[in-house]
Amino acid sequence: MQKYYLAVPLKYASFNKMDSPVQIPFKSFIRLNADDATAIYLQIVFGFIKAIQLGQLPEGTKLPGTRVLCKLLAVNRNTLIKAFGDLESQGFIEILPNKGTFILSNQKQALPKPEHSGTPGNGNTPETGFIFTHSSILESPIEISELPLQFNDGWPDQRLIDHGAVARLYVSKLKSHNRKLQMGYVETEVQLALKKQVSNYLNLTRGLRISGLQLIHTSNHATSLFLVMKLLIVPGDVVVVASPGYYSANMTITDSGADVISIPVDEEGIDTTYLRKICDNQKVRVVYLNSVYHYPTTVSLSAKRRIEILELSSLYGFVIVEDDYDFDFHFDNNPILPLATMDAGARVIYIGSFDRSLPAGFGCGFVSGPATFISELEKHQRLLEPKLDTIKMLALIDWIKEGDVYRLLKKNKRLYRIRRDHLAALLSDKLGKYIDFTVPSRGLALWVQWVDGVNLIKLRNKCAEQGLFMPKTILYQSRNITATRLGFGSMNALELAQAVDILARAFEDLQYQK
């Protein structure tokens, strides 16, 4: 099971606050509902994660043995062991032989505690006169901060975009097409025109060979993935993802009812040896991957493994959902092309967006695949998005047709490359002996691994005291990983220097306190 929240391992000199694990009111926060579509073991996993992050299970808390806890929760022991296995692999608990099971971290969500507890799996509270389904999977991990400096996970700098030009283009389209829009016959015409422009753009920049019939455009990237999973997955289907992986995509995949299996990533990308073993033992429906630029580690899938994954897809019959979220930001002369360009067997669904290269709210998502699949996808889209912003589509058509999107990307890529190299130099100078990283040839973030280990939550808190915000979504810490994903796109040279200075000072303070 892939992690959605990030945990920090701690050392246990003593066990605080709750010495007797049986006294912990587990039933107050581990609420199981047999009628819920979510598997029981996942309900246990999510219940523990939420309790840890709300501080209900403090760090160092010793949990009762599995037999005792099984009686308390009225579950099968194998179910509980499976849940504990997930929690341990994600870094939320540590199982010490002959000592017991202990909580690793007491991170808290930046969300208020609920005033009322509802029926397990439902929202039946005094504020509502009805029951509704409550999803523990889709709890948002996104945090907002007003601190002056912020590392994100690799977003572009909105200050580099000429919003005035975009606004003028939008207004001009609104004026010139206002009467046609009122008459209602222009929408289909505009959609077909945008499909043509986007397919031409993808063919030119990514080496695809598609027509408008093999493409659908959506309001954003998240909607694209949601529609694809809705069409591909029925509850119980096996979906293979990478570990570590993209938290947002993994939430969407899990919410579709899929049984998610994660496999490791190394310097060549997702491990095809593990993938083959999984396929030998069970039917895999979908493999979700980032072949060009893996999130979060920034590695690219090697040529050898690209061929192997396509061969395995043909052999075992699984669908490849290729999420190319950051293709536009490459800094070499020979960009790696997506797997979709090699897809002779029509088994690759290719997802991407313009969200990262255009002003906020101005971009769109897209899905490319076999024409019959796209046609079916459009049926579901008409229910979810019956009316797309026609004026935005008209402006985007001109944005591509007139070459503005190419000029903007070319100009900004030069600047982002300078920022990437600047951050790399700063990190090497200030923290070189404590970290390990490879300068990526694409994307807007560096994957920085801490050689000697550090408590990332404590590091984050130290940075916040000095004006630098590091959201939990860029912190990766478990038994095998201590790393941060540091985005450089949204900060200029001075801001990057200030941010790294704070990061280095915070790290030195923690080292001094050891």
Side-chain angles (χ1 to χ4, degrees), residues 228-281:
V228 168
M229 288 301 158
K230 178 178 177 59
L231 203 57
L232 290 179
I233 300 300
V234 297
D237 279 347
V238 173
V239 176
V240 173
V241 302
S243 178
Y246 190 17
Y247 63 90
S248 179
N250 289 339
M251 287 196 301
T252 300
I253 293 168
T254 304
D255 190 59
S256 71
D259 186 1
V260 180
I261 299 177
S262 59
I263 60 177
V265 171
D266 58 25
E267 65 277 0
E268 291 188 68
I270 194 168
D271 194 319
T272 49
T273 302
Y274 275 80
L275 178 57
R276 184 181 291 273
K277 289 179 181 178
I278 292 169
C279 291
D280 282 337
N281 290 307

Side-chain angles (χ1 to χ4, degrees), residues 314-334:
S314 178
L315 178 63
Y316 292 101
F318 60 75
V319 181
I320 300 169
V321 175
E322 182 179 21
D323 190 344
D324 202 356
Y325 70 97
D326 226 1
F327 181 90
D328 286 328
F329 300 106
H330 57 82
F331 308 111
D332 50 19
N333 294 323
N334 297 299

Side-chain angles (χ1 to χ4, degrees), residues 445-465:
L446 268 62
W447 176 249
V448 177
Q449 300 189 70
W450 298 84
V451 177
D452 294 331
V454 61
N455 185 314
L456 292 183
I457 292 297
K458 290 183 178 179
L459 181 66
R460 155 194 157 102
N461 293 340
K462 281 283 184 184
C463 289
E465 291 172 4

